[in-house]
mmCIF file of all heavy atoms in Angstrom:
data_model
loop_
_atom_site.group_PDB
_atom_site.id
_atom_site.type_symbol
_atom_site.label_atom_id
_atom_site.label_comp_id
_atom_site.label_asym_id
_atom_site.label_seq_id
_atom_site.Cartn_x
_atom_site.Cartn_y
_atom_site.Cartn_z
ATOM 1 N N ALA U 1 84.155 96.996 75.316
ATOM 2 C CA ALA U 1 83.241 97.783 76.072
ATOM 3 C C ALA U 1 82.622 98.805 75.255
ATOM 4 O O ALA U 1 83.228 99.577 74.331
ATOM 5 C CB ALA U 1 84.078 98.320 77.201
ATOM 6 N N THR U 2 81.426 99.205 75.625
ATOM 7 C CA THR U 2 80.695 100.365 75.006
ATOM 8 C C THR U 2 81.306 101.660 75.493
ATOM 9 O O THR U 2 82.074 101.643 76.500
ATOM 10 C CB THR U 2 79.167 100.299 75.392
ATOM 11 O OG1 THR U 2 79.088 100.548 76.706
ATOM 12 C CG2 THR U 2 78.548 99.096 74.999
ATOM 13 N N ASP U 3 81.157 102.712 74.893
ATOM 14 C CA ASP U 3 81.684 103.989 75.316
ATOM 15 C C ASP U 3 81.201 104.281 76.743
ATOM 16 O O ASP U 3 81.991 104.749 77.613
ATOM 17 C CB ASP U 3 81.151 105.048 74.287
ATOM 18 C CG ASP U 3 81.787 105.190 73.072
ATOM 19 O OD1 ASP U 3 82.823 104.195 72.813
ATOM 20 O OD2 ASP U 3 81.429 105.816 72.123
ATOM 21 N N LEU U 4 79.865 104.032 77.096
ATOM 22 C CA LEU U 4 79.340 104.331 78.390
ATOM 23 C C LEU U 4 80.105 103.442 79.456
ATOM 24 O O LEU U 4 80.257 103.965 80.596
ATOM 25 C CB LEU U 4 77.923 104.102 78.398
ATOM 26 C CG LEU U 4 76.955 105.030 77.657
ATOM 27 C CD1 LEU U 4 75.569 104.605 77.588
ATOM 28 C CD2 LEU U 4 77.105 106.441 78.169
ATOM 29 N N GLU U 5 80.365 102.150 79.071
ATOM 30 C CA GLU U 5 81.040 101.323 80.139
ATOM 31 C C GLU U 5 82.468 101.797 80.371
ATOM 32 O O GLU U 5 82.947 101.818 81.395
ATOM 33 C CB GLU U 5 81.085 99.816 79.535
ATOM 34 C CG GLU U 5 79.681 99.250 79.564
ATOM 35 C CD GLU U 5 79.685 97.987 78.970
ATOM 36 O OE1 GLU U 5 80.350 97.679 77.869
ATOM 37 O OE2 GLU U 5 78.734 97.016 79.314
ATOM 38 N N ALA U 6 83.047 102.089 79.137
ATOM 39 C CA ALA U 6 84.516 102.521 79.199
ATOM 40 C C ALA U 6 84.639 103.884 80.080
ATOM 41 O O ALA U 6 85.513 104.020 81.006
ATOM 42 C CB ALA U 6 85.070 102.717 77.928
ATOM 43 N N LEU U 7 83.772 104.843 79.627
ATOM 44 C CA LEU U 7 83.842 106.107 80.428
ATOM 45 C C LEU U 7 83.517 105.977 81.893
ATOM 46 O O LEU U 7 84.113 106.608 82.898
ATOM 47 C CB LEU U 7 82.928 107.177 79.835
ATOM 48 C CG LEU U 7 83.338 107.605 78.440
ATOM 49 C CD1 LEU U 7 82.195 108.355 77.640
ATOM 50 C CD2 LEU U 7 84.434 108.642 78.723
ATOM 51 N N THR U 8 82.498 105.057 82.255
ATOM 52 C CA THR U 8 82.219 104.806 83.674
ATOM 53 C C THR U 8 83.263 104.161 84.280
ATOM 54 O O THR U 8 83.737 104.554 85.580
ATOM 55 C CB THR U 8 80.922 103.954 83.751
ATOM 56 O OG1 THR U 8 79.886 104.663 83.112
ATOM 57 C CG2 THR U 8 80.598 103.647 85.191
ATOM 58 N N ALA U 9 83.906 103.163 83.735
ATOM 59 C CA ALA U 9 85.166 102.496 84.377
ATOM 60 C C ALA U 9 86.249 103.550 84.754
ATOM 61 O O ALA U 9 86.919 103.482 85.808
ATOM 62 C CB ALA U 9 85.643 101.398 83.480
ATOM 63 N N TYR U 10 86.502 104.299 83.770
ATOM 64 C CA TYR U 10 87.569 105.383 83.987
ATOM 65 C C TYR U 10 87.185 106.236 85.106
ATOM 66 O O TYR U 10 88.027 106.564 85.970
ATOM 67 C CB TYR U 10 87.741 106.172 82.643
ATOM 68 C CG TYR U 10 88.752 107.388 82.850
ATOM 69 C CD1 TYR U 10 89.957 107.339 83.445
ATOM 70 C CD2 TYR U 10 88.182 108.741 82.617
ATOM 71 C CE1 TYR U 10 90.869 108.349 83.523
ATOM 72 C CE2 TYR U 10 89.076 109.831 82.687
ATOM 73 C CZ TYR U 10 90.343 109.700 83.314
ATOM 74 O OH TYR U 10 91.035 110.789 83.412
ATOM 75 N N ALA U 11 85.947 106.674 85.056
ATOM 76 C CA ALA U 11 85.522 107.717 86.163
ATOM 77 C C ALA U 11 85.504 107.159 87.709
ATOM 78 O O ALA U 11 85.956 107.742 88.544
ATOM 79 C CB ALA U 11 84.158 108.228 85.922
ATOM 80 N N VAL U 12 85.074 105.884 87.702
ATOM 81 C CA VAL U 12 85.035 105.338 88.970
ATOM 82 C C VAL U 12 86.368 104.874 89.592
ATOM 83 O O VAL U 12 86.660 104.977 90.668
ATOM 84 C CB VAL U 12 84.150 103.986 89.049
ATOM 85 C CG1 VAL U 12 84.841 102.824 88.468
ATOM 86 C CG2 VAL U 12 83.799 103.642 90.463
ATOM 87 N N ALA U 13 87.376 104.641 88.599
ATOM 88 C CA ALA U 13 88.657 104.331 88.963
ATOM 89 C C ALA U 13 89.353 105.684 89.576
ATOM 90 O O ALA U 13 90.250 105.577 90.515
ATOM 91 C CB ALA U 13 89.580 103.955 87.838
ATOM 92 N N GLU U 14 88.948 106.765 89.116
ATOM 93 C CA GLU U 14 89.393 108.101 89.665
ATOM 94 C C GLU U 14 88.845 108.427 91.023
ATOM 95 O O GLU U 14 89.315 109.319 91.662
ATOM 96 C CB GLU U 14 88.847 109.272 88.695
ATOM 97 C CG GLU U 14 89.683 109.219 87.398
ATOM 98 C CD GLU U 14 91.156 109.645 87.467
ATOM 99 O OE1 GLU U 14 91.391 110.694 87.825
ATOM 100 O OE2 GLU U 14 91.898 108.683 87.363
ATOM 101 N N SER U 15 87.806 107.567 91.449
ATOM 102 C CA SER U 15 87.333 107.765 92.845
ATOM 103 C C SER U 15 87.837 106.674 93.806
ATOM 104 O O SER U 15 87.393 106.564 95.009
ATOM 105 C CB SER U 15 85.765 107.817 92.848
ATOM 106 O OG SER U 15 85.357 109.058 92.443
ATOM 107 N N ARG U 16 88.773 105.758 93.297
ATOM 108 C CA ARG U 16 89.247 104.767 94.098
ATOM 109 C C ARG U 16 89.909 105.177 95.411
ATOM 110 O O ARG U 16 90.775 106.154 95.376
ATOM 111 C CB ARG U 16 90.261 103.829 93.338
ATOM 112 C CG ARG U 16 90.541 102.632 94.048
ATOM 113 C CD ARG U 16 91.493 101.695 93.305
ATOM 114 N NE ARG U 16 90.830 101.039 92.275
ATOM 115 C CZ ARG U 16 91.012 101.158 90.983
ATOM 116 N NH1 ARG U 16 91.881 102.085 90.574
ATOM 117 N NH2 ARG U 16 90.201 100.510 90.102
ATOM 118 N N GLY U 17 89.506 104.763 96.496
ATOM 119 C CA GLY U 17 89.957 105.243 97.887
ATOM 120 C C GLY U 17 89.166 106.304 98.526
ATOM 121 O O GLY U 17 89.447 106.581 99.677
ATOM 122 N N TYR U 18 88.318 106.883 97.852
ATOM 123 C CA TYR U 18 87.478 108.007 98.331
ATOM 124 C C TYR U 18 86.242 107.370 99.116
ATOM 125 O O TYR U 18 85.805 106.321 98.779
ATOM 126 C CB TYR U 18 86.854 108.914 97.182
ATOM 127 C CG TYR U 18 87.972 109.890 96.749
ATOM 128 C CD1 TYR U 18 88.987 109.533 95.735
ATOM 129 C CD2 TYR U 18 87.980 111.245 97.194
ATOM 130 C CE1 TYR U 18 89.880 110.341 95.281
ATOM 131 C CE2 TYR U 18 88.978 112.136 96.686
ATOM 132 C CZ TYR U 18 89.946 111.729 95.774
ATOM 133 O OH TYR U 18 90.835 112.563 95.279
ATOM 134 N N LYS U 19 85.851 108.039 100.121
ATOM 135 C CA LYS U 19 84.773 107.646 101.006
ATOM 136 C C LYS U 19 83.470 107.927 100.297
ATOM 137 O O LYS U 19 83.271 108.905 99.685
ATOM 138 C CB LYS U 19 84.783 108.394 102.409
ATOM 139 C CG LYS U 19 85.953 108.089 103.230
ATOM 140 C CD LYS U 19 86.022 106.601 103.589
ATOM 141 C CE LYS U 19 87.188 106.466 104.676
ATOM 142 N NZ LYS U 19 87.315 104.950 105.077
ATOM 143 N N ILE U 20 82.497 106.836 100.325
ATOM 144 C CA ILE U 20 81.233 107.012 99.901
ATOM 145 C C ILE U 20 80.472 108.000 100.609
ATOM 146 O O ILE U 20 80.320 107.862 101.911
ATOM 147 C CB ILE U 20 80.562 105.587 99.861
ATOM 148 C CG1 ILE U 20 81.296 104.603 98.986
ATOM 149 C CG2 ILE U 20 79.059 105.809 99.334
ATOM 150 C CD1 ILE U 20 80.969 103.227 99.177
ATOM 151 N N ASN U 21 79.828 109.038 100.016
ATOM 152 C CA ASN U 21 79.112 110.062 100.701
ATOM 153 C C ASN U 21 78.082 110.703 99.915
ATOM 154 O O ASN U 21 78.146 111.718 99.318
ATOM 155 C CB ASN U 21 80.132 111.129 101.103
ATOM 156 C CG ASN U 21 79.430 112.163 102.105
ATOM 157 O OD1 ASN U 21 78.438 111.834 102.721
ATOM 158 N ND2 ASN U 21 79.991 113.368 102.100
ATOM 159 N N VAL U 22 77.087 109.829 99.618
ATOM 160 C CA VAL U 22 76.022 110.249 98.649
ATOM 161 C C VAL U 22 75.119 111.251 99.446
ATOM 162 O O VAL U 22 74.542 110.903 100.491
ATOM 163 C CB VAL U 22 75.136 108.893 98.238
ATOM 164 C CG1 VAL U 22 73.929 109.435 97.535
ATOM 165 C CG2 VAL U 22 75.916 107.977 97.450
ATOM 166 N N PRO U 23 75.062 112.476 98.974
ATOM 167 C CA PRO U 23 74.350 113.486 99.692
ATOM 168 C C PRO U 23 72.864 113.325 99.912
ATOM 169 O O PRO U 23 72.129 112.686 99.104
ATOM 170 C CB PRO U 23 74.615 114.753 98.776
ATOM 171 C CG PRO U 23 74.856 114.220 97.316
ATOM 172 C CD PRO U 23 75.563 112.765 97.689
ATOM 173 N N GLN U 24 72.463 113.920 100.968
ATOM 174 C CA GLN U 24 70.973 113.838 101.400
ATOM 175 C C GLN U 24 70.547 115.220 101.856
ATOM 176 O O GLN U 24 69.764 115.269 102.835
ATOM 177 C CB GLN U 24 70.753 112.762 102.313
ATOM 178 C CG GLN U 24 70.800 111.259 101.887
ATOM 179 C CD GLN U 24 69.546 111.007 101.058
ATOM 180 O OE1 GLN U 24 68.441 110.690 101.614
ATOM 181 N NE2 GLN U 24 69.510 111.174 99.754
ATOM 182 N N GLN U 25 71.120 116.289 101.406
ATOM 183 C CA GLN U 25 70.795 117.587 101.827
ATOM 184 C C GLN U 25 69.449 118.215 101.128
ATOM 185 O O GLN U 25 68.667 118.693 101.680
ATOM 186 C CB GLN U 25 71.844 118.661 101.611
ATOM 187 C CG GLN U 25 72.957 118.566 102.654
ATOM 188 C CD GLN U 25 73.941 117.305 102.431
ATOM 189 O OE1 GLN U 25 74.277 116.949 101.311
ATOM 190 N NE2 GLN U 25 74.151 116.481 103.505
ATOM 191 N N HIS U 26 69.429 118.114 99.801
ATOM 192 C CA HIS U 26 68.350 118.549 98.947
ATOM 193 C C HIS U 26 67.052 117.758 99.124
ATOM 194 O O HIS U 26 67.151 116.496 99.274
ATOM 195 C CB HIS U 26 68.616 118.684 97.498
ATOM 196 C CG HIS U 26 67.808 119.494 96.719
ATOM 197 N ND1 HIS U 26 66.603 119.048 96.212
ATOM 198 C CD2 HIS U 26 67.988 120.802 96.350
ATOM 199 C CE1 HIS U 26 66.083 120.073 95.477
ATOM 200 N NE2 HIS U 26 66.921 121.130 95.566
ATOM 201 N N ALA U 27 65.915 118.320 99.080
ATOM 202 C CA ALA U 27 64.532 117.565 99.264
ATOM 203 C C ALA U 27 64.514 116.480 98.160
ATOM 204 O O ALA U 27 63.856 115.385 98.444
ATOM 205 C CB ALA U 27 63.514 118.614 99.106
ATOM 206 N N LYS U 28 65.004 116.773 96.965
ATOM 207 C CA LYS U 28 64.834 115.770 95.871
ATOM 208 C C LYS U 28 65.707 114.585 96.030
ATOM 209 O O LYS U 28 65.601 113.458 95.739
ATOM 210 C CB LYS U 28 65.032 116.453 94.537
ATOM 211 C CG LYS U 28 63.966 117.196 94.088
ATOM 212 C CD LYS U 28 63.993 117.595 92.650
ATOM 213 C CE LYS U 28 62.688 118.401 92.213
ATOM 214 N NZ LYS U 28 62.559 118.669 90.775
ATOM 215 N N GLU U 29 67.025 114.802 96.820
ATOM 216 C CA GLU U 29 67.836 113.729 97.145
ATOM 217 C C GLU U 29 67.207 112.869 98.155
ATOM 218 O O GLU U 29 67.249 111.629 98.174
ATOM 219 C CB GLU U 29 69.135 114.264 97.689
ATOM 220 C CG GLU U 29 70.004 114.941 96.643
ATOM 221 C CD GLU U 29 71.157 115.703 97.216
ATOM 222 O OE1 GLU U 29 71.153 116.002 98.468
ATOM 223 O OE2 GLU U 29 72.020 115.994 96.432
ATOM 224 N N LYS U 30 66.505 113.509 99.259
ATOM 225 C CA LYS U 30 65.831 112.658 100.205
ATOM 226 C C LYS U 30 64.587 111.845 99.595
ATOM 227 O O LYS U 30 64.309 110.716 100.071
ATOM 228 C CB LYS U 30 65.324 113.667 101.330
ATOM 229 C CG LYS U 30 66.489 114.394 102.110
ATOM 230 C CD LYS U 30 65.792 115.342 103.012
ATOM 231 C CE LYS U 30 66.976 116.055 103.798
ATOM 232 N NZ LYS U 30 66.521 117.041 104.785
ATOM 233 N N ALA U 31 63.962 112.517 98.614
ATOM 234 C CA ALA U 31 62.830 111.885 97.941
ATOM 235 C C ALA U 31 63.249 110.680 97.192
ATOM 236 O O ALA U 31 62.701 109.661 97.226
ATOM 237 C CB ALA U 31 62.077 112.739 97.090
ATOM 238 N N ALA U 32 64.472 110.854 96.491
ATOM 239 C CA ALA U 32 65.055 109.694 95.822
ATOM 240 C C ALA U 32 65.379 108.488 96.693
ATOM 241 O O ALA U 32 65.186 107.377 96.244
ATOM 242 C CB ALA U 32 66.303 110.063 94.949
ATOM 243 N N TYR U 33 66.050 108.776 97.881
ATOM 244 C CA TYR U 33 66.319 107.772 98.829
ATOM 245 C C TYR U 33 65.079 107.030 99.180
ATOM 246 O O TYR U 33 64.976 105.798 99.401
ATOM 247 C CB TYR U 33 66.947 108.381 100.027
ATOM 248 C CG TYR U 33 67.023 107.420 101.179
ATOM 249 C CD1 TYR U 33 68.265 106.552 101.226
ATOM 250 C CD2 TYR U 33 66.240 107.420 102.136
ATOM 251 C CE1 TYR U 33 68.247 105.624 102.253
ATOM 252 C CE2 TYR U 33 66.277 106.476 103.256
ATOM 253 C CZ TYR U 33 67.386 105.593 103.271
ATOM 254 O OH TYR U 33 67.474 104.709 104.226
ATOM 255 N N ALA U 34 64.011 107.736 99.567
ATOM 256 C CA ALA U 34 62.651 107.164 100.079
ATOM 257 C C ALA U 34 62.094 106.382 99.104
ATOM 258 O O ALA U 34 61.547 105.167 99.285
ATOM 259 C CB ALA U 34 61.811 108.284 100.475
ATOM 260 N N ARG U 35 62.116 106.802 97.788
ATOM 261 C CA ARG U 35 61.608 106.045 96.651
ATOM 262 C C ARG U 35 62.406 104.732 96.423
ATOM 263 O O ARG U 35 61.873 103.524 96.227
ATOM 264 C CB ARG U 35 61.485 106.719 95.315
ATOM 265 C CG ARG U 35 60.376 107.751 95.365
ATOM 266 C CD ARG U 35 60.176 108.381 93.994
ATOM 267 N NE ARG U 35 61.435 108.755 93.386
ATOM 268 C CZ ARG U 35 61.832 110.118 93.497
ATOM 269 N NH1 ARG U 35 61.059 111.107 94.022
ATOM 270 N NH2 ARG U 35 62.927 110.522 92.833
#
């Protein structure tokens, strides 16, 4: 695995069991969703 793949695998494992809650408060978050 590349460093990016390995670090991402470790980080996402640290969120196992947590609820998905991608924020939509900031105007740029809303704009990203719309795009």
Side-chain angles (χ1 to χ4, degrees):
T2 67
D3 289 354
L4 292 174
E5 289 170 333
L7 285 161
T8 302
Y10 169 60
V12 74
E14 290 293 289
S15 280
R16 189 176 284 118
Y18 283 81
K19 295 294 185 181
I20 300 166
N21 188 26
V22 175
Q24 283 286 279
Q25 281 76 46
H26 196 276
K28 290 195 173 183
E29 292 171 342
K30 295 176 182 178
Y33 170 85
R35 290 191 303 267

